[in-house]
Amino acid sequence: MEANTLCPDTGWVDIASVGVLNTLGDDGEVSITLPFPVLYQNVQVNDITIGSNGAIIMSPGQQVGFTNGTMAGAADGLYPFWDDLGPEEAGEGVFYHTIGTAPNQIFIVQWNKDHLGGNTNSYIFQLQIHQATSEIYFVYDDIEVGNVGIDFGASATIGAAGPNSDVQVSFNDPQYLTDETCVNFYYTNCARPINYAVSYTTTSEGAITWNAGPSNETDWQVIYGQQGFDPMTGGTSVTINGGSALIIPGLDDMTTYDVYILALCANGDTSVALTGDFTTLPDCADPTGLAGATAVDSIFTAWNYTANTGFDIQEFAMEYGPTGYTSGGTYI
C-alpha cells in the first residue's frame, strides 16, 4: 500500500443529510457490517469499528483511543484525523452511507466533530472506500476552525495501518493539510523505496542512501540533476544492482540537486519515485602553515590562506585549549 495526494473523481460528497447518524460522544465507537467486502492489504474485511476520534479499525468491537500515535504499532485501520475529538454539539455526529451501485459502490464515513477542549466549530472530513478499485481516499472539507495548535492536523495522525505495511502521512504536523486536501491509498505490485537520507556532502559530491519498500526490491534507477530538472527528459541516470546507496561525484559546489529513486521490480514494473535533495558545500579553502609562539601568559599564532576563486574570506574563527582537549575550548 502506498499513498499520494490525489482526490477522488467524486470529490467531496457531503452525507450529513442522508447518512446514518451516530452520536458517539467523547470516546465512543460503533461496529457495523460493510456494504461490500473490502480486501485490505490481502485480508478480507466485512465488519469494522467506527471511532469518535477520527478513525476506523478493520475489525468490530475495537476502540480508537483519544491519544493519537504513529502508525507503527497502531491497530489495523484507517486514520484520516486521529485526534481527541469531543462530544457532539448540535448538528454534529459521525455518519456513514453508501453511494452508487455494485460493483461501483463507494462507502463513506464522515466526521463532523469539534475538538475536545477547543471551540465548538466542527472539523469536517471523510474517508471513502471504492469498491471497484479498492482505493481509499481521505477528503478534508474543513480543518481550520480557529483552534491554534490543533487546526490542520497539528495534533492529529493521518495514515493507514495494516498487516503488511503502515503508511504514515502526517503525525502532529500541520504542513500536510496546509498544502493538501486529500490522501489516496492504493495498491501496487512494485513498491516505492523508502527512507531517503543524505550520508554526507562535499564541494563536489553527495552520498545518499535509501531502503527497499515492502517488496524488498534490490535493483534501482537513480536519476539526479540540478534543482528543478525534469527527470523524464533530463538529468543523469544510474542503474544499481544490489545495495541501496550511491556516491554521486563530479558536482558543482554550492548547488542543490534533486534525486529520484525508482525500484526496478522483478515483474518488470518500475515503481513511483522516492524523491529527495541535497546541497553541496562551498569551495572554501583550508588555512595552511599554522605556526605559533608563546609567552608566559600569551599565545601568538599565524597562518597562510589563499582563497579559492569566488570564495574570499572576511574573517576567521579559532578554538583553542590545553594540550589534549577534544572540544569545548575557548572560541574566538
Side-chain angles (χ1 to χ4, degrees):
M1 174 173 276
E2 296 189 0
N4 59 38
T5 62
L6 296 179
C7 293
D9 291 339
T10 51
W12 170 264
V13 181
D14 192 348
I15 63 169
S17 63
V18 295
V20 176
L21 169 64
N22 296 270
T23 51
L24 301 179
D26 187 7
D27 298 314
E29 288 84 23
V30 61
S31 296
I32 67 166
T33 298
L34 290 168
F36 50 85
V38 173
L39 192 63
Y40 183 69
Q41 297 193 18
N42 291 324
V43 175
Q44 182 170 303
V45 177
N46 297 299
D47 301 282
I48 63 170
T49 301
I50 301 173
S52 169
N53 291 315
I56 70 170
I57 307 300
M58 291 304 197
S59 57
Q62 304 301 308
Q63 184 177 27
V64 179
F66 59 83
T67 301
N68 68 306
T70 63
M71 288 294 90
D76 292 353
L78 301 171
Y79 298 80
F81 200 92
W82 182 16
D83 206 343
D84 191 6
L85 303 182
E88 288 83 2
E89 305 290 340
E92 293 185 334
V94 181
F95 308 84
Y96 64 88
H97 184 62
T98 304
I99 63 173
T101 57
N104 298 301
Q105 298 178 96
I106 301 174
F107 175 68
I108 302 172
V109 181
Q110 179 174 317
W111 286 261
N112 292 26
K113 298 268 289 184
D114 61 79
H115 195 281
L116 188 68
N119 61 36
T120 58
N121 297 323
S122 300
Y123 291 110
I124 304 175
F125 56 93
Q126 66 183 206
L127 65 82
Q128 301 181 9
I129 301 176
H130 288 234
Q131 181 184 23
T133 62
S134 295
E135 289 185 274
I136 297 163
Y137 293 88
F138 299 164
V139 189
Y140 300 88
D141 183 57
D142 194 352
I143 36 74
E144 182 185 13
V145 300
N147 288 324
V148 177
I150 300 174
D151 283 354
F152 296 105
S155 62
T157 302
I158 302 171
N164 299 320
S165 64
D166 300 325
V167 182
Q168 184 162 292
V169 176
S170 178
F171 175 64
N172 291 348
D173 187 347
Q175 192 60 56
Y176 185 85
L177 289 182
T178 299
D179 298 336
E180 308 294 343
T181 58
C182 298
V183 185
N184 169 219
F185 297 95
Y186 62 96
Y187 297 99
T188 176
N189 291 323
C190 187
R192 176 172 51 186
I194 58 175
N195 299 335
Y196 172 86
V198 179
S199 300
Y200 68 84
T201 59
T202 69
T203 60
S204 61
E205 70 180 29
I208 59 173
T209 63
W210 61 92
N211 296 119
S215 300
N216 295 314
E217 310 84 3
T218 59
D219 296 335
W220 319 93
Q221 180 184 15
V222 179
I223 307 172
Y224 64 91
Q226 292 189 11
Q227 188 176 49
F229 87 101
D230 184 349
M232 301 298 294
T233 59
T236 300
S237 178
V238 179
T239 299
I240 299 173
N241 303 115
S244 54
L246 178 65
I247 296 174
I248 303 173
L251 306 178
D252 295 332
D253 60 280
M254 288 187 67
T255 303
T256 298
Y257 288 85
D258 292 337
V259 181
Y260 296 79
I261 305 170
L262 304 94
L264 305 177
C265 294
N267 62 5
D269 290 345
T270 301
S271 76
V272 174
L274 171 68
T275 60
D277 60 43
F278 63 84
T279 302
T280 51
L281 300 177
D283 189 11
C284 185
D286 295 327
T288 61
L290 180 66
T294 61
V296 174
D297 59 355
S298 303
I299 300 174
F300 305 93
T301 187
W303 59 88
N304 299 319
Y305 184 79
T306 301
N308 291 334
T309 301
F311 293 94
D312 294 334
I313 295 300
Q314 304 299 318
E315 59 185 18
F316 294 91
M318 176 182 295
E319 182 180 334
Y320 64 92
T323 300
Y325 92 101
T326 56
S327 64
T330 301
Y331 188 83
I332 58 174

